[in-house]
Amino acid sequence: VTETKEFSIKLSKTITSIKDAIEIGAAKDHNTYTTEKYIVAGIIKEVYNAQYGNMYIVDELGNTFTVYGTYGADGADRYDALENKPVAGDYVVILGILGQYNGTPQMKNGWIQSFTTPITIAGANELGNTFEKNQYTTDKKVVTGTITEVQNTTYGNVVIADAEGNSILVYGLYNANGTVRYDAL
């Protein structure tokens, strides 16, 4: 006799900030997790268990979030079996349930949706200089820096800079999932 059980998991429709993920996890009881899956993104600070893919991810404000166990995008292969793994310094987007264990807010068994290695502002400028006027890369790049100037408060045209004094114009800002323009943030 085979028993079939139906179940459903709700999926958050937007990327949840690390700060919000920490708050959602902290609100749960010990070893209790959401039924809804959330999308959380950040820079990998450290992979502290290479077998299970336990990692710390951080946002631009320094908030650190624990991801306890990671798998490929379909949830089938554990971190150690992945052919192409994200490592410290990569920008990663992970889908999973949120909760807490022993007072530590975390994502449990996250599915790695995508990852990329960020480029420096100098690298972004160098790449941009290879294009003709009004031409852009076909894929998105992750560049981090500090906003030093807001040139347009409607569209969010900003200048960002790094500690080495390099700067670049970002022509239009949106929220993490690209659905809310700068003026509505």
Side-chain angles (χ1 to χ4, degrees):
V1 177
T2 303
E3 183 179 340
T4 303
K5 293 183 180 180
E6 287 190 32
F7 67 94
S8 65
I9 295 176
K10 297 176 187 174
L11 172 63
S12 174
K13 302 213 181 338
T14 61
I15 293 179
T16 302
S17 71
I18 287 177
K19 180 180 177 282
D20 289 345
I22 291 169
E23 290 175 8
I24 292 166
K28 303 300 280 182
D29 291 330
H30 167 69
N31 205 21
T32 305
Y33 295 85
T34 60
T35 55
E36 182 175 14
K37 287 193 172 193
Y38 291 84
I39 299 170
V40 180
I43 302 286
I44 298 174
K45 180 178 181 179
E46 175 186 358
V47 176
Y48 65 91
N49 183 309
Q51 180 178 6
Y52 296 103
N54 300 350
M55 61 182 66
Y56 299 116
I57 61 174
V58 297
D59 63 16
E60 65 281 356
L61 300 174
N63 295 307
T64 301
F65 187 61
T66 301
V67 180
Y68 187 75
T70 55
Y71 293 80
D74 62 0
D77 292 329
R78 191 173 64 191
Y79 184 85
D80 60 344
L82 296 176
E83 188 174 317
N84 193 14
K85 301 173 181 70
V87 296
D90 286 344
Y91 176 84
V92 67
V93 177
I94 304 176
L95 169 70
I97 55 176
L98 305 178
Q100 63 99 349
Y101 188 83
N102 284 340
T104 300
Q106 65 183 14
M107 175 181 283
K108 184 176 179 183
N109 299 330
W111 296 3
I112 300 166
Q113 301 301 291
S114 66
F115 68 94
T116 186
T117 301
I119 61 174
T120 64
I121 291 175
N125 280 324
E126 189 175 306
L127 179 61
N129 288 333
T130 66
F131 290 94
E132 298 293 325
K133 183 177 179 180
N134 294 324
Q135 289 184 327
Y136 303 91
T137 61
T138 55
D139 58 330
K140 293 183 180 183
K141 303 292 183 195
V142 175
V143 180
T144 60
T146 302
I147 295 174
T148 59
E149 179 184 356
V150 177
Q151 294 183 349
N152 183 300
T153 58
T154 301
Y155 298 104
N157 301 346
V158 300
V159 175
I160 62 172
D162 62 21
E164 288 78 38
N166 299 302
S167 64
I168 191 168
L169 172 66
V170 179
Y171 189 74
L173 290 179
Y174 286 78
N175 67 339
N177 64 353
T179 58
V180 180
R181 193 174 68 187
Y182 181 85
D183 60 340
L185 294 174

